[in-house]
Amino acid sequence: MAHSYFSPSTAVEQIKRHPKYYLNGGDVHFLVENYVYRVHRYFFERESAWFREKLGVPTPAGQTPKGSSDANPFPLDDVAADDFSKFLWIFYNPKYSIYDATLEDWIAILKLAFDWRFAEVKKLCTRQIELFVIAPVPKIELYQQYELDKKLLIPSFLHLCMRAEPLSLKEGRQLGLETALLIATARECARGKPAHNGARSPTAAELEEDDMVSIIKEIFGLSAGPPSPSLTPLERGTGVATFAGTPISSPRKQQEGAKPPHTPAEVVSLQATVAAIKPTTKEASPPPSVPSVAQPTPPHPRPPRHDSHR
């Protein structure tokens, strides 16, 4: 009977240099899975407080620093080699400012930027992810997980608040308890007063988009502070659902369609109507005059009486 014997390879034999990111002139070595990367330490220390702390740990006497050679690389645990290669592509992209990648690639890069505190890479990921159309619930879940700008979620909140269907149990679990409750609160505000039996309208919200956006900002605490530079300014008659990155129209807008712009005649009529109902400020009238009271004329003094007969 033939026996097959398996001789496991040593760790040194399994480790190999990465075919793309083992660079000449690199001054730091990273071990990711079974690949050694040799790249430039400068990018990691410039961008990341996490790496500045880790790479700046003093080396004990008689030992070589971590990351100084293939034999003593700096290990990056719980990181896939494919994801780390995508992350390095941000710094070594041969097309300079053209970053052409899939949504899954950007999410993988975002995860590492979030874990390692690469603030500028995180902003780049946010701008690129905004170019993709993502369903409201997965987008909210993603942005909450990696602490992205909540103002960018206003279109997603708006869609969930104005649609006829409430959040499902699955959606509530994805969003988390706090966000699900805030959305439920906004939906109640959008549907007005409850009926006699306490139930609220199960139909789509009747509020205009601008009013609904104001409610969402108030409930989610998005009113304070300057507006996000990534938000496109709203245009009259379009609403926040036209925000670049997630072109989602509210259910009501999908049914009614866009309203035509006002004609000049309508604008003049509207201005006349506003002027007619606008309360006018009365001019201050002079105080009523008080009739003057005629002063009595003092009696003329009588001439002295001369009596001729004594």
Side-chain angles (χ1 to χ4, degrees), residues 10-279:
T10 63
V12 175
E13 291 174 341
Q14 291 179 350
I15 295 174
K16 51 188 175 182
R17 296 176 176 179
H18 193 271
K20 185 175 182 180
Y21 290 112
Y22 192 91
L23 305 177
N24 293 328
D27 53 357
V28 62
H29 299 70
F30 291 112
L31 177 63
V32 183
E33 291 185 330
N34 62 327
Y35 285 103
V36 173
Y37 294 78
R38 186 169 75 178
V39 291
H40 296 87
R41 182 189 188 113
Y42 167 76
F43 296 115
F44 293 86
E45 291 185 330
R46 182 191 68 180
E47 302 285 342
S48 168
W50 189 88
F51 273 103
R52 283 196 298 270
E53 177 183 348
K54 296 297 182 181
L55 296 175
V57 174
T59 304
Q63 298 184 13
T64 57
K66 282 284 185 182
S68 59
S69 65
D70 288 7
N72 190 22
F74 187 97
L76 296 176
D77 301 324
D78 301 323
V79 179
D82 187 47
D83 291 344
F84 188 58
S85 298
K86 295 173 183 175
F87 185 82
L88 292 176
W89 167 71
I90 297 296
F91 303 108
Y92 296 105
N93 179 14
K95 295 182 180 180
Y96 301 107
S97 61
I98 301 176
Y99 290 96
D100 186 14
T102 65
L103 176 61
E104 291 72 20
D105 291 340
W106 285 114
I107 293 176
I109 297 169
L110 174 63
K111 180 184 182 304
L112 296 182
F114 176 78
D115 291 342
W116 294 335
R117 290 180 278 172
F118 279 79
E120 293 302 319
V121 177
K122 182 179 173 182
K123 291 178 182 178
L124 172 63
C125 293
T126 304
R127 291 193 297 269
Q128 295 298 320
I129 290 174
E130 280 295 305
L131 301 178
F132 293 88
V133 177
I134 309 175
V137 172
K139 183 171 184 177
I140 296 172
E141 182 183 18
L142 175 68
Y143 280 45
Q144 288 183 152
Q145 181 179 358
Y146 296 115
E147 301 177 4
L148 304 184
D149 189 355
K150 278 191 176 181
K151 292 190 180 80
L152 300 176
L153 293 176
I154 291 178
S156 299
F157 291 143
L158 177 67
H159 183 83
L160 295 178
C161 290
M162 298 193 73
R163 74 181 190 183
E165 302 81 11
L167 291 176
S168 65
L169 180 60
K170 179 181 178 181
E171 290 174 331
R173 287 173 176 169
Q174 285 181 262
L175 298 174
L177 178 61
E178 180 180 349
T179 301
L181 289 176
L182 292 176
I183 291 176
T185 302
R187 286 176 59 86
E188 289 184 1
C189 294
R191 282 154 179 78
K193 297 180 180 180
H196 296 291
N197 59 358
R200 293 182 182 268
S201 170
T203 59
E206 295 297 327
L207 288 179
E208 293 292 337
E209 284 189 3
D210 291 346
D211 297 331
M212 192 67 243
V213 169
S214 298
I215 291 175
I216 290 172
K217 287 182 177 180
E218 181 68 24
I219 291 176
F220 283 88
L222 304 178
S223 300
S228 171
S230 300
L231 278 176
T232 302
L234 301 181
E235 295 181 1
R236 185 65 179 173
T238 57
V240 74
T242 56
F243 164 67
T246 309
I248 300 174
S249 300
S250 66
R252 186 182 180 200
K253 287 295 182 181
Q254 290 174 351
Q255 295 173 2
E256 296 180 356
K259 296 182 179 180
H262 294 294
T263 62
E266 291 176 337
V267 174
V268 173
S269 176
L270 180 61
Q271 292 175 346
T273 304
V274 173
I277 64 175
K278 184 177 180 181

